[in-house]
Structure formats: structure tokens, C-alpha cells
Amino acid sequence: MGARGPGAAAGTVGGSKGGMRVHMRVPAKVQRFFDGLGVVAEDALDEALTDVAHKIQTKAMENLAEGYKGPTGEDGGALDTGRLQNSIQMDDAYLEKRVGSNLNYAAHMEFGTGPAAGRKRYMPPTEEGAELESWSRRKGIDAGKVALLINRRGTFPRRYLGRAVFTEKTEVLHLFADYLEEQINTELDATVRIKRR
């Protein structure tokens, strides 16, 4: 078993509207080296991406639990019932990891809405069962008035996922080196150190 494909691997970590992409190009000479060792470099990269994606998932959940930061609430937490926090999942396919939420308001919390986020005005739904209606009922606030306020001012971005990607993404290359080193040492039954720059 050697490094598969034409000597390239890629992995992504992030939500549907943003994320991180890692490209690894393996020159033919290095490809032959890995083939000779029986080491699959992409397996090491996949392990590294999986670990970092789990870290991003955990950090995003922690970010949601934080309190508001400053009077605008920009980049602050967004914890009410914990539904959004508990919806943060990681999809784990080979060399492709996706971290995010399938809730319809997850992107509004991440990127903000309307003028506060530099976008056109947005009127959130307030019918029975809508997220804003449920939230307003729990808080004892009129959903229509809240919707009008959101339409006029917008909501600031919380960046719970973007901040998680930013703080955790640099670990990919370090973990990749660790896993690759481990594979080489196991295959050769030797002690080899991969130089980190």
C-alpha cells in the first residue's frame, strides 16, 4: 500500500459557507519513498483532519455557551435551550470532514442578519412553531415586535463556528506530522522524527 492517487490529497473542515481546506501535494520522488515504506500518507492526514474536526466541534459548542461580548453582542454566545449547541455535528468521510448544524437558524446565528451584519433587511418568521415565536413565548415577549426590531436593525454575527475553525485549524499539520511519524516508525520498526518547522 502506498500513497493513493496522483500524489495529492485534500481535506476540508468547516461549515457549508466556510471552512478550511488543506492540500498536500506529494512529488513523484516522495511518492515512491512512501510506496517503498508501505505508508499511506493520506491515512495520516485523514486521522489529523478527524482530530481537528472534533476539536472544532467542541470549540464551537463552547463558543455558543459563552455570554455576550460587549453591548452589541458581536461574536458572543447564543445559548438559550441548548438546541443549537447540541446540533453541532461532525460528518466524517475519508479526507473530508464537515462540522456544522442542520438547524434553519444556525447560519443566522453564525453570520448575523440585516443591517447589523451589512446585509439587506430580513424579516424572521413568527408563525406558530417558528423559532422566534417559541423563543418569544418562553421570554414573555411579543414575537411580532421582536421580528420588526430584527427587520429594522438586524442581528450581529456570533461566529461560533468561524472562531472555532480559526483557533483550531493550525493543529492539522502538527497532527499530520505526528501520525505520519507514527506510521513510518511502525512500518520500519525504527525511531524516525519528522522535522516540524
Side-chain angles (χ1 to χ4, degrees):
M1 286 194 323
R4 289 178 283 278
T12 62
V13 178
S16 60
K17 293 192 177 187
M20 174 184 70
R21 185 170 299 275
V22 176
H23 289 281
M24 181 181 75
R25 296 264 179 230
V26 182
K29 187 176 180 181
V30 177
Q31 174 83 29
R32 286 191 299 274
F33 171 76
F34 284 137
D35 286 345
L37 292 178
V39 171
V40 182
E42 285 96 331
D43 287 352
L45 179 58
D46 184 64
E47 286 187 69
L49 287 168
T50 298
D51 282 359
V52 171
H54 280 302
K55 288 182 176 193
I56 289 170
Q57 177 187 18
T58 300
K59 188 64 179 171
M61 293 170 79
E62 290 172 0
N63 288 344
L64 283 167
E66 290 178 356
Y68 291 118
K69 295 182 176 183
T72 63
E74 187 171 6
D75 280 348
L79 188 64
D80 181 30
T81 63
R83 185 169 172 230
L84 177 58
Q85 185 185 43
N86 292 326
S87 76
I88 306 298
Q89 299 296 318
M90 194 271 279
D91 293 331
D92 189 358
Y94 190 69
L95 293 177
E96 186 171 338
K97 321 300 174 185
R98 295 192 181 279
V99 179
S101 169
N102 62 358
L103 293 180
N104 60 358
Y105 62 92
H108 295 312
M109 298 303 291
E110 173 73 13
F111 300 107
T113 64
R119 295 187 170 86
K120 65 180 183 178
R121 289 180 181 226
Y122 164 74
M123 178 66 81
T126 58
E127 69 273 0
E128 181 83 24
E131 299 297 336
L132 183 60
E133 187 273 334
S134 299
W135 179 85
S136 297
R137 191 169 8 92
R138 282 194 313 275
K139 303 292 182 183
I141 304 170
D142 181 83
K145 289 180 180 177
V146 175
L148 287 172
L149 190 60
I150 289 173
N151 179 256
R152 190 167 52 250
R153 295 183 184 172
T155 59
F156 285 99
R158 301 293 177 233
R159 301 301 293 171
Y160 57 90
L161 184 56
R163 286 185 292 135
V165 170
F166 181 78
T167 57
E168 303 296 337
K169 67 182 179 180
T170 56
E171 285 296 303
V172 170
L173 295 178
H174 298 292
L175 288 169
F176 171 59
D178 290 343
Y179 288 127
L180 189 58
E181 187 177 272
E182 184 181 311
Q183 274 197 16
I184 292 171
N185 289 337
T186 301
E187 192 63 34
L188 296 179
D189 194 24
T191 302
V192 174
R193 296 278 179 248
I194 294 178
K195 186 175 181 181
R196 287 129 175 102
R197 294 180 184 177

